[in-house]
Amino acid sequence: MPISGFPEWLPSQRMIEQFTLDKIRSTFELYGFAPLETRAVEPLETLLSKGETSKEVYLLRRLQDTADAPAKGEDQLGLHFDLTVPFARFVVENHGKLQFPFRRYQIQKVWRGERPQEGRYREFLQADIDVVNRDTLPFHFDTEMPLVIGDVFRSLPIPPVVIQVNNRKVCEGFYRGLGLADTGEVLRTVDKLDKIGPEKVAALLVETAGATDAQAAACLKLAEISASDGSFVDRVRALGVDAPLLDEGLSELLQVVETAGEHAPGLVRAELKIARGLDYYTGTVYETQMRGYEQHGSICSGGRYETLASVGNTRFPGVGISIGVSRMLGLLFKQDALSVSRSVPTCVVVALPSDDQRAECDRIAAALRKRGIPTEVAPTAAKFGKQIQFADRRGIPYVWFPGSPSTVKDIRSGEQVEADASTWMPPAADVHPLVTGV
């Protein structure tokens, strides 16, 4: 029986997922990101030190291990809830073997024990890119992240996306300029705007962050600012708050918006309510929404971090962004917004005239496969009409009839022509299943 929050796709959906992953992987590699895979488990202490709550981390233990505590000398282990924390740990452990700046992509499952809902799972696939450097990381890497992600999404048959960007320095500088000391609490509270609304956020700011009503109102004014060009800078200035960190953040955010606007107009929007919940972000933050699916929140997010990884006095600052592959596809599958031209990879079914001709049919199939044509032999020597039905039910476009000469039939049009298995090629569009948006 199904387990809530642990999706299992049908073969046709899995083919769409693999198509999506191929597009993601190839785009990441076009930008020079190298592949990496890290272990699924991390010490619990590592996971909980990076901003995730203990109730969302899945613990790992052996069935025979009845003790609550791990054995002496062993760490308590949990499944990773994102790919950034294990990546930072990997960098620390392997920094002597890596060339910096280090650009990597990682496509793996992660686990998060939150309440399952539409597009939100407990086991899901993420596709991450990060750039880390030793000691300092030039800011231009922050401007590159949206460009990579924009190219990924344009390569997929999905609705247009908008990458919402902010910079925590803008928020923290503004809060400090207002006289609010606990900027972390203010950030976490403002990050709840979409969930609980401005009135409750204002009340929480007074209650938990020590804000006055006027300070809370100013925080909400900042969060209302949204622009797809540099006009947000003047709107922030008009609020009358001054702080060096605010100036630095506005300058950085402007670079991200202007660079993206030149590369892909309309891709990026400055959205000053975006904060991101995880504690390790220190500068630029990103969240991405699909048009028509905004009510489901972000499908791609990330940001800048300065202190996530360090060895002694050496820091490894980084910036990264993560595509929630399962989240995105789950939402699209729910609306039947993606389709694939057939439910199997097969392009050609070799008809089987009789069981004693199976070896000959296998040779034909092998000749077609040798040239990259996905082929299978019919499972039984039934009437040709049934063998054609076998192909048609699966969306397979061609049936090959052995003989002297052999013929191949396009069962969609009914056209049948003589063919040689060593030379015949279907149209390029038929070789592999086609994924399209609806």
Side-chain angles (χ1 to χ4, degrees):
M1 62 179 291
I3 301 176
S4 179
F6 293 83
E8 293 179 321
W9 307 135
L10 294 168
S12 58
Q13 294 172 321
R14 174 63 174 153
M15 285 197 294
I16 293 171
E17 182 181 61
Q18 288 181 315
F19 166 85
T20 301
L21 295 178
D22 287 342
K23 292 291 188 182
I24 292 172
R25 185 183 300 110
S26 63
T27 305
F28 287 172
E29 291 186 354
L30 279 175
Y31 277 83
F33 290 89
L36 181 68
E37 182 166 315
T38 56
R39 65 198 185 205
V41 298
E42 297 293 335
L44 187 60
E45 181 182 6
T46 301
L47 295 174
L48 298 186
S49 68
K50 305 304 179 184
E52 193 68 356
T53 59
S54 59
K55 66 181 181 182
E56 292 187 355
V57 175
Y58 281 106
L59 289 180
L60 189 74
R61 69 176 179 87
R62 291 178 294 114
L63 185 63
Q64 293 86 353
D65 185 4
T66 56
D68 290 332
K72 186 176 181 180
E74 290 185 1
D75 288 318
Q76 195 166 18
L77 301 177
L79 295 172
H80 56 221
F81 60 82
D82 75 353
L83 300 178
T84 307
V85 170
F87 171 59
R89 187 265 311 156
F90 179 89
V91 169
V92 167
E93 292 180 359
N94 295 279
H95 66 95
K97 305 171 187 175
L98 302 176
Q99 298 296 317
F100 293 96
F102 179 46
R103 302 162 68 88
R104 83 84 174 85
Y105 74 87
Q106 207 168 330
I107 303 175
Q108 283 182 248
K109 290 284 184 71
V110 300
W111 295 267
R112 198 170 294 177
E114 57 186 358
R115 184 173 64 86
Q117 50 190 295
E118 189 174 359
R120 192 174 291 276
Y121 305 108
R122 289 174 170 171
E123 178 185 61
F124 50 99
L125 191 63
Q126 286 191 181
D128 284 28
I129 49 171
D130 284 83
V131 182
V132 296
N133 201 28
R134 192 188 300 271
D135 297 322
T136 61
L137 181 71
F139 186 77
H140 66 79
F141 290 111
D142 291 48
T143 70
E144 183 184 37
M145 291 289 135
L147 310 188
V148 183
I149 294 304
D151 285 357
V152 167
F153 287 136
R154 276 192 298 276
S155 75
L156 297 171
I158 65 171
V161 303
V162 175
I163 303 175
Q164 301 173 327
V165 295
N166 195 6
N167 193 303
R168 281 200 174 186
K169 295 176 186 176
V170 172
C171 300
E172 291 186 30
F174 187 86
Y175 303 152
R176 289 182 192 175
L178 284 175
L180 292 167
D182 192 351
T183 58
E185 182 62 31
V186 180
L187 271 172
R188 285 188 291 273
T189 304
V190 172
D191 198 39
K192 298 174 183 176
L193 256 175
D194 286 342
K195 293 180 180 178
I196 65 176
E199 290 183 8
K200 289 184 179 178
V201 166
L204 274 177
L205 288 172
V206 172
E207 180 184 339
T208 65
T212 65
D213 289 339
Q215 288 171 327
C219 291
L220 291 175
K221 283 287 186 185
L222 180 72
E224 289 173 2
I225 295 174
S226 173
S228 55
D229 57 22
S231 63
F232 69 89
V233 176
D234 290 337
R235 294 173 63 186
V236 175
R237 298 285 186 212
L239 297 178
V241 175
D242 189 39
L245 189 63
L246 173 61
D247 295 339
E248 185 180 333
L250 287 173
S251 173
E252 291 182 352
L253 185 55
L254 184 62
Q255 287 184 59
V256 175
V257 171
E258 290 185 339
T259 301
E262 184 177 332
H263 179 81
L267 173 65
V268 161
R269 185 172 188 85
E271 198 75 55
L272 271 60
K273 67 181 177 181
I274 301 298
R276 302 291 304 134
L278 294 170
D279 290 343
Y280 51 70
Y281 293 123
T282 55
T284 311
V285 287
Y286 316 94
E287 289 195 353
T288 308
Q289 293 186 339
M290 270 192 308
R291 294 211 176 127
Y293 295 81
E294 291 87 352
Q295 71 273 25
H296 298 293
S298 179
I299 59 163
C300 174
S301 56
R304 175 83 171 219
Y305 46 90
E306 296 291 338
T307 57
L308 189 59
S310 61
V311 179
N313 293 325
T314 303
R315 291 186 302 112
F316 297 95
V319 62
I321 195 164
S322 172
I323 301 171
V325 180
S326 301
R327 178 173 176 77
M328 175 181 73
L329 291 179
L331 293 170
L332 294 168
F333 289 159
K334 180 80 172 179
Q335 298 299 320
D336 293 323
L338 291 172
S339 65
V340 64
S341 57
R342 52 188 187 258
S343 63
V344 293
T346 311
C347 175
V348 179
V349 169
V350 179
L352 184 64
S354 62
D355 285 331
D356 59 9
Q357 290 180 266
R358 181 170 292 279
E360 178 190 350
C361 293
D362 286 341
R363 284 192 291 271
I364 292 169
L368 293 171
R369 292 180 194 129
K370 189 175 182 180
R371 288 180 300 106
I373 305 169
T375 306
E376 61 182 287
V377 177
T380 59
K383 292 180 179 179
F384 280 165
K386 287 192 174 181
Q387 296 192 52
I388 292 172
Q389 284 181 353
F390 170 83
D392 187 45
R393 283 196 300 270
R394 290 158 180 78
I396 300 168
Y398 296 98
V399 176
W400 188 283
F401 297 100
S404 299
S406 292
T407 60
V408 63
K409 182 173 186 175
D410 183 337
I411 63 174
R412 299 162 299 183
S413 66
E415 181 184 5
Q416 188 165 339
V417 297
E418 293 184 7
D420 184 331
S422 64
T423 59
W424 177 83
M425 280 295 294
D430 288 337
V431 176
H432 300 290
L434 290 178
V435 175
T436 55
V438 178

